[in-house]
Amino acid sequence: MRRFEAVFSAVVLAVMVNVGLAQEVTAGRWLVNHGHSLGLATLHPTVDDAERVLVWMEAAARINPDLAEAYLWQYDLLRRLNRTEAAKAALKSYCKLNPTDITAELDLIDWQFEACQSVEARLAFCAERLKAGGLPPLVRSDLHRRMAELFRRSGDREQAERYAGKALEAFSGNAEAHKLLVELADERDRPVRQVRWLLATIAALPADVVNMWNLARVLDDLSLHGESAKWYERVSAAFERHPGSGQVPVDLLVDFAACHADQGQYVQAVEKTEQVLQVDPNAVEVRVLLVEVLRKMGQAEAADRHLAVLKKQFKELEPASIGQDEPARAYQAAWYYLRAELDARRAVDFAARALELAPESGEVQVVYGLARLAVGEADEAARVLSPLAGENQWAAAGLGEALSAQGKAEESLKVLRAGEGLRYSGPAYERIVTALATRQAEPAAIPPHTAVLQALRGFDERVLSFAAQPERVLRLEAMVSPEGWSYGQRWVCRLRLCNSGPFPISVGRGRMVAGDVLVSLRWGDKADEQLLNYLPLSLALKPVLAAGEAVTLCATLDVGAAGILARSAAQRELTLTFSFLLDPMAAGSRIRVSALANYPAVVVEVKRMGADASRAGMQVLADLLREGAEADRILAVQTLAGLLAEREAGRGSPSGYHMRRVDEVKLRRLLLAALADPTPVVRAAVLDSLRMVKPGPRMLEQMAPLLSDTSWVVRLLGVDVLGETQGEAFRPVLERMSSGDPDELPRRLAGLSLKRLE
């Protein structure tokens, strides 16, 4: 049988509807909480366990069709049970009832979009949704981006550009739309679009050093070395802050050194190359770069010392001795003999060996072509380098020289001019400039890249501080009723996640903040007076929180083990201390800390008042049973059952707190009388409350007729409560109801309860 280990951890979804803290105990909400508690109590859930929770969520939606969270639960369970169409329907109902959950709306759009079978149908779907109006900016942006992608695939570049632009008008941080514009760009527009795309990805996830590193490389290739160095520095600082090794990768130091060298900052270039060589003394290309830099600085003696190290590495090396798995070794030797110690014949031999070992490598082909050129074989060099010159500046330099040697001056100049534009700095560029000078040709002016610089200036660099100081801009608030909770009241808390910063914050798994919240509870100093990490919740209601924006959810906290505590010790006053941890991650077997740097848990203390078991208090409960509203009668039933359970539990053992004696006979009589309440939901609540007490023969006798009640919800609770308390003795009833009950939900629950007896 397929297992659903992840179902009940991922599906413990909170009440995501903005309601007040004084939550009315509606029948639907009560059924949702019951199903939620079943999920939390199941350590190793199976498909049947998921089906059992699903029964309660469907029951909640049937009782209260406007209860959004009931449909959200259904969606998650049905999706995990691979009932796709039913899951879609549940998600659609949820989104209709709770339009503030943008994340869910985007999930629904994704499903509906994929269900369309043709490009025309998908375009029509997006257009229809946009035509409806009133859509949040993130949704409009997503729909426009989808249309742009469709037009791109169908070859309509103009329309693709238009709708990608509309996507960014709706939400400028849409990284996918930026990426699409990069793919649509010509050579002139590609650099700025690539920079805008990378800036958008960095803004959405500033902790991801890969995007910052890529941006530094792009700026480096544009010869904007001053801007590039800033980003290399930021990437280095991010690695140094990392709680793991805290070391800057060698590859990053190599890139940074080359950037400094290309910018003419030779002192900094030497510093970075020496850092690399401390880690990897055999880094050939880095030592070659260091030799070149030292020569430019006029430090011939220092350059010769490093050259001697390289000579020692390659002096005794022969191409034939290089193994099949060492093409890089042959490639490095060829470069050494081309750039550090010119020996054209040795360069050819090593380049040929590299080509033999890695014939598909473009880099190897380039060094082979340059080596052939160095020994005067212009025809062979031109043949090898020609296919590569359009994208590789070294290949362009070599091909230009080869064509010149062949007497093709005009063609040579054309290649050199094209290669010049690939990059306006670095040793390959310098070689092209030298080749142009031999033809009395001036190098072209370096492009100012004004649009790129404007994009960089428009980037809000304050977002880069988020990873180190998230608490400065992200606030988690937890609010409970200041008056506390009476016994029997739901433990309701409103959580609010607010972006108080000047820049947007992306929310969701793999983003700036995941939005997960883990709740713990303590009500005393003993080890058994705490519930660690008992309730996961989610605040990921929007993919992006704009500056000053917040999301709110109202969560029921007395579920699972906390629900058992809430029903126990009815007369005892409890001081409850809740902690809410944002983005939890493991830091030990049971210890959790926030994945956000130095982000503290939010702690809230609230009183749970004891039930009034005085004569006057008991009279109030009796009066509510006779004359109160539906919610009041349910509360009275739960309180009476709690007092009776407390009395049964405390008989013969001290309670540890002052507890009034109650008349057990009277309590049972009141509860049994409530079984005849004219409202089905109240009768169901009585059955639910009786699971707390020990049912005697008289009570069981009066509960049994409710299995034939005219209301399906009463029969549903009857199956649940009596199946739980009576065990094997209840099998015949379950067998009858699993096939004979007139309603689907009691039938399904009876069938699932039968399986639990096996």
Side-chain angles (χ1 to χ4, degrees), residues 476-496:
L476 175 65
E477 301 169 352
M479 296 158 279
V480 298
S481 173
E483 293 82 22
W485 297 314
S486 300
Y487 181 84
Q489 274 189 314
R490 301 307 315 204
W491 295 359
V492 177
C493 173
R494 195 199 318 262
L495 290 176
R496 184 171 182 266

Side-chain angles (χ1 to χ4, degrees), residues 95-122:
C95 291
K96 183 178 180 181
L97 292 167
N98 187 17
T100 62
D101 191 339
I102 306 302
T103 300
E105 180 68 26
L106 291 173
D107 285 343
L108 178 61
I109 286 173
D110 191 55
W111 259 2
Q112 293 173 328
F113 181 85
E114 291 299 325
C116 300
Q117 297 299 309
S118 66
V119 170
E120 293 75 17
R122 290 180 175 184

Side-chain angles (χ1 to χ4, degrees), residues 271-290:
E271 178 187 334
K272 290 293 186 295
T273 53
E274 288 179 342
Q275 287 181 40
V276 174
L277 294 174
Q278 287 174 6
V279 178
D280 182 9
N282 297 318
V284 173
E285 293 171 69
V286 174
R287 202 176 290 275
V288 168
L289 173 64
L290 180 55

